Amino acid sequence: MNTLRQIIAVTAVNLRAIPSRLGSSMVIVIGIAGVVGVLVALLSMAAGFKATLAGTGTHERAIVLRGGSTDELGSVITREQAAIITDTPGIARDADGTPQAIAEFYLLTDVAKPGADTPSNVVVRGTRVDVGRVRPEFRIVAGRMFTPGVREVVVGRAVAAQFETLRIGNTVDVRDGPWTIVGVFETGGDVHESELWVDAGALETASRRTAYNSVTVRLESAAAFATFKDALTTDPRMVVSAQREPDYYASRSEQLHLLIRILGYTVAVIMGIGAVFGALNVMYAAVATRAVEIATLRALGFGGLPVVVSVMIESLLLALAGGLVGAVVAYVFFNGYTVNTLNFQTFSQVAFAFRVTPELIRQGLAWALTMGLIGGLFPAIRAARLPIVEALRTG
Amino acid sequence: MAQTVVSLRGVSKRYTRGRQTIEVLHNLDLDIDKGDFLALMGPSGSGKTTLLNLIGGLDRPSAGELRVGDARLDQMSSAQLTRWRAQHVGFVFQFYNLLPVLSAERNVELPLLLTPLSAAERMKRVRIALQIVGLADRGKHKPAELSGGQAQRVAIARAIVADPTLLVCDEPTGDLDRKTADEVLGLLQLLNREHGKTIVMVTHDPKAAEFATHTLHLDKGRLVEQAAHA
């Protein structure tokens, strides 16, 4: 009780003195705000990227690729295989018994981006006009759906926002000449919104392809996946792999997500070291400035522990203020900010929005408090060890 | 027979700077009785502030026995000395050492935060202490809003508020003009005479020493003369 009262009293004295040391205290706040702002911004990029890919698909859908293929681009599914896959047990069926499955082409095309020297790779998905049977989240938000057999394109909302050339009425080279953009679609904010969708038949003719890249199926239920997968993998005619959609798309984000996180933490550690030295400097100066006050309190009978704790509390509060400022700045400037980048696992552009999540803010504040803890600890120990007699003499 | 409050037997104090050892106090024997007002005088470097710091429990002797009341200060740890100071000593410094961000009342209250007293009881004692030093109406003022004499009186109120055994004053008038210094010394004399406080005061000023009941002269760490005043 007595120690607690001492801590409160000494801390109150320290905190009341902050306005008289506002300039130096702001060094801690701004330094740590910078670190947390950069860290949260970078991690929000990773989080946004991952959320876009990991948020793609549902557990009631599965994607089938050639055995050994890690993505659609390197996968080949023949017409015969596609026919077998669509007839596999576990697939949901329409009222007329038609399996809810769709064999698709997947390829890349160059799209010029204003301000960039080189064109960007954008995914072209050859699908069917009734794609909504398998992907009910699909919705045309502007223009209209492509016409089967015609060289028309519907553009994902995210990629349309990033490439000025992808406007309704414009043309884009998909394969074998220009294709007309007739609509913009959305699929709930997932990775498909970074794609161009065309009619599979038209693409097959233009690209002279004879095999699909993948088959996506809608399952009877999430639990039906095991039945579906077992049936496919035990069929001696098939060398294919089946994955739940969310698992497949999450695996597409792993490398870039990891890279961004490593980059974020590396930058944060480097900046953090600078901020910790700044905090140390300021807190040492604060202790030196208050040496006589601290010595007076110690002479009056205040213990060393309350002095240590009070200096630590001051440092932590300043760091917390810095952390909050950094997190708020990151949120205001970056949350929802949409960019596109090359996913080097698929060699294609993915448009995504930065996501400043509560978890990232919590992480940022934890970093801030860690910096405040380190920055305050050594000055606090010095304050408690201050020789009373010598410090009083300096007054 | 007067009760001895402070007793030094063979007390020495040495400091080591690099390879050099400096003995500031040499084998001192001294008794201070309850109710004494002792002035410690001597030239700079004579060891008077060092002696005051030992008596006030701010430092420990290198050798010898030092008792204040029932406590053997020479045998106490740093933490024990801290607790002892809180209960038994009131300090008055040359430059007042008030905390600038706190009001006079809050400054005076500081030693009471180390006691189990309630907030109401603490404020009651603070007001009495400020009344004794004649600053009952200045409790809400910050140190920067007080004159030097007023600030030192607030410091004296802080020193007496917990009713310590001993008042330790290091050049309490060193920063004041003559008239104000006399007022502050008169107040210390009042505390000694009317409230029975035992006071040990370091001063360079012979006029200040005249307010004390005894004067002790130190030179090069040794007691050279002891004078009693009327």
Side-chain angles (χ1 to χ4, degrees), chain A residues 2 5-6 9 12-14 16-17 20 292-304 388-389 392-393 395, chain B residues 15 17 53 58-59 78 82 85-86 91 93 95 97 99-102 106 110-117 122 158:
Chain A
N2 190 295
R5 198 185 274 179
Q6 289 186 45
V13 169
N14 284 359
R16 285 183 193 188
S20 65
V292 176
E293 286 178 27
I294 292 168
T296 302
L297 288 167
R298 300 280 285 122
L300 295 180
F302 283 78
I388 301 173
V389 171
L392 286 173
R393 213 175 282 153
Chain B
Y15 291 106
R17 293 217 174 111
N53 289 338
L58 291 175
D59 207 351
S78 182
T82 300
R85 285 196 305 271
F91 290 93
F93 304 99
F95 298 107
N97 290 23
L99 303 194
V101 295
L102 300 182
R106 294 294 175 198
L110 284 171
L112 297 179
L113 295 174
L114 306 170
T115 69
L117 292 174
R122 291 201 302 271
R158 182 179 66 186

Side-chain angles (χ1 to χ4, degrees), chain A residues 133-375:
Chain A
R133 289 171 55 247
V134 176
R135 297 194 182 96
E137 66 272 22
F138 168 82
R139 199 164 65 89
I140 290 289
V141 293
R144 60 172 175 81
M145 187 54 168
F146 57 74
T147 307
V150 179
R151 293 186 175 191
E152 290 179 342
V153 183
V154 288
V155 181
R157 191 174 58 175
V159 78
Q162 292 294 311
F163 293 83
E164 287 179 15
T165 51
L166 299 179
R167 296 282 179 271
I168 294 173
N170 288 358
T171 58
V172 55
D173 285 331
V174 174
R175 284 292 184 276
D176 194 31
W179 294 51
T180 306
I181 298 168
V182 296
V184 177
F185 69 90
E186 66 172 22
T187 48
D190 67 16
V191 73
H192 295 310
E193 292 188 7
S194 295
E195 298 175 350
L196 311 180
W197 284 8
V198 300
D199 176 58
L203 184 61
E204 184 181 14
T205 306
S207 63
R208 298 173 186 83
R209 288 192 172 212
T210 56
Y212 299 105
N213 292 88
S214 64
V215 178
T216 298
V217 303
R218 201 169 173 194
L219 301 165
E220 290 168 348
S221 67
F225 177 72
T227 309
F228 174 72
K229 187 178 179 183
D230 287 349
L232 269 185
T233 51
T234 54
D235 187 331
R237 296 169 295 173
M238 306 293 284
V239 186
V240 294
S241 67
Q243 296 176 70
R244 290 185 191 275
E245 257 193 344
D247 296 341
Y248 170 73
Y249 286 106
S251 71
R252 304 296 81 213
S253 67
E254 276 169 6
Q255 288 185 19
L256 190 57
H257 178 251
L258 181 67
L259 182 74
I260 298 171
R261 283 180 71 83
I262 290 172
L263 177 70
Y265 283 119
T266 304
V267 171
V269 165
I270 293 167
M271 288 182 70
I273 289 169
V276 164
F277 276 107
L280 278 169
N281 199 24
V282 168
M283 291 311 295
Y284 272 129
V287 167
T289 306
R290 297 203 307 269
V292 176
E293 286 178 27
I294 292 168
T296 302
L297 288 167
R298 300 280 285 122
L300 295 180
F302 283 78
L305 180 66
V307 172
V308 169
V309 174
S310 67
V311 174
M312 293 297 301
I313 288 175
E314 178 183 340
S315 174
L316 287 171
L317 285 176
L318 290 172
L320 185 64
L324 286 170
V325 169
V328 167
V329 167
Y331 183 84
V332 169
F333 286 97
F334 292 102
N335 192 46
Y337 178 66
T338 303
V339 294
N340 70 318
T341 189
L342 179 73
N343 182 357
F344 52 76
Q345 276 178 277
T346 58
F347 303 105
S348 61
Q349 293 290 316
V350 176
F352 62 95
F354 284 52
R355 284 167 61 103
V356 179
T357 63
E359 168 59 21
L360 290 186
I361 290 175
R362 190 193 63 73
Q363 271 188 44
L365 294 183
W367 270 71
L369 290 174
T370 304
M371 286 184 278
L373 189 76
I374 298 169

